[in-house]
């Protein structure tokens, strides 16, 4: 609200909602821009550097949105639930101070998880086919050349917010 903007102090709920809504608006805008660029400027947009940048930005925005949505779920759970465990009570008392750090950590995790898209993690295939191990030697298969560590790193952007939301 306007009073929140004027006072320059935002409640934890406001910080989470502003982060979530802005990441979603930017993500939707980026997706629309990407679509328009692919339709109207296909030859220009087809360069590998631009395609890689588009993938990284999309991944970052998508991961950020997932993180902020997960934090909103956690925030609501902490505020409305009435558990009597010591950790939960401690967390309930300190959530307001933790929110800025949670959002910053989420942003850094999103950046880290989006970096593997610069290395073409998804869909990287060797340009050769190898004989299948089946009895029919004429059957061919395409081999993947994925680094397991890079795949795990890039999926942390999806997995951790899911775990937060489920827990």
């Amino acid at each position: 609200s306007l009073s929140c903007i004027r006072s320059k102090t935002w409640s934890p709920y406001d910080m989470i909602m502003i982060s979530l809504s802005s990441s979603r608006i930017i993500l939707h805008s980026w997706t629309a821009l990407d679509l328009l660029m692919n339709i109207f400027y296909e030859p220009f947009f087809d360069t590998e550097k631009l395609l890689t940048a588009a993938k990284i930005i999309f991944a970052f925005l998508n991961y950020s949105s997932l993180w902020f949505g997960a934090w909103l779920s956690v925030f609501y759970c902490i505020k409305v639930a009435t558990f009597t465990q010591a950790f939960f009570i401690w967390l309930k008392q300190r959530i307001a101070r933790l929110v800025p750090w949670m959002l910053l950590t989420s942003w850094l995790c999103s950046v880290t998880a989006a970096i593997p898209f610069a290395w073409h993690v998804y869909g990287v295939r060797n340009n050769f086919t190898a004989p299948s191990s089946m009895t029919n030697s004429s059957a061919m298969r395409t081999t993947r050349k994925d680094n397991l560590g890079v795949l795990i790193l890039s999926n942390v952007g999806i997995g951790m917010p899911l775990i937060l939301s489920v827990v």
Side-chain angles (χ1 to χ4, degrees), residues 129-150:
T129 55
S132 177
S133 61
M134 301 168 31
T135 57
N136 183 358
S137 63
S138 64
M140 303 298 267
R141 64 179 166 80
T142 304
T143 59
R144 288 193 66 121
K145 189 179 121 180
D146 293 338
N147 181 334
L148 182 61
V150 173

Side-chain angles (χ1 to χ4, degrees), residues 43-65:
F44 171 74
F45 196 66
D46 202 26
T47 64
E48 188 169 335
K49 287 181 181 180
L50 284 175
L51 190 59
T52 300
K55 286 192 302 185
I56 293 169
I57 292 169
F58 178 81
F60 166 73
L61 292 170
N62 193 34
Y63 291 155
S64 296
S65 182

Side-chain angles (χ1 to χ4, degrees), residues 147-159:
N147 181 334
L148 182 61
V150 173
L151 283 172
I152 290 170
L153 176 65
S154 61
N155 282 305
V156 165
I158 297 170

Side-chain angles (χ1 to χ4, degrees), residues 40-111:
F40 296 112
Y41 298 106
E42 186 178 356
F44 171 74
F45 196 66
D46 202 26
T47 64
E48 188 169 335
K49 287 181 181 180
L50 284 175
L51 190 59
T52 300
K55 286 192 302 185
I56 293 169
I57 292 169
F58 178 81
F60 166 73
L61 292 170
N62 193 34
Y63 291 155
S64 296
S65 182
L66 291 171
W67 273 104
F68 299 147
W71 286 129
L72 183 62
S73 299
V74 168
F75 183 77
Y76 273 135
C77 177
I78 290 170
K79 286 297 182 181
V80 295
T82 57
F83 297 120
T84 57
Q85 295 173 337
F87 175 73
F88 192 80
I89 292 170
W90 176 87
L91 192 57
K92 196 170 195 168
Q93 293 170 347
R94 289 166 180 77
I95 190 71
R97 287 181 285 180
L98 294 176
V99 166
W101 293 107
M102 293 173 358
L103 296 175
L104 179 62
T105 303
S106 301
W107 185 79
L108 292 173
C109 286
S110 298
V111 168

Side-chain angles (χ1 to χ4, degrees), residues 17-30:
M17 287 304 296
I18 288 169
S19 299
L20 177 60
S21 60
S22 62
S23 71
R24 295 299 296 171
I25 289 169
I26 295 168
L27 175 64
H28 288 290
S29 300
W30 181 259

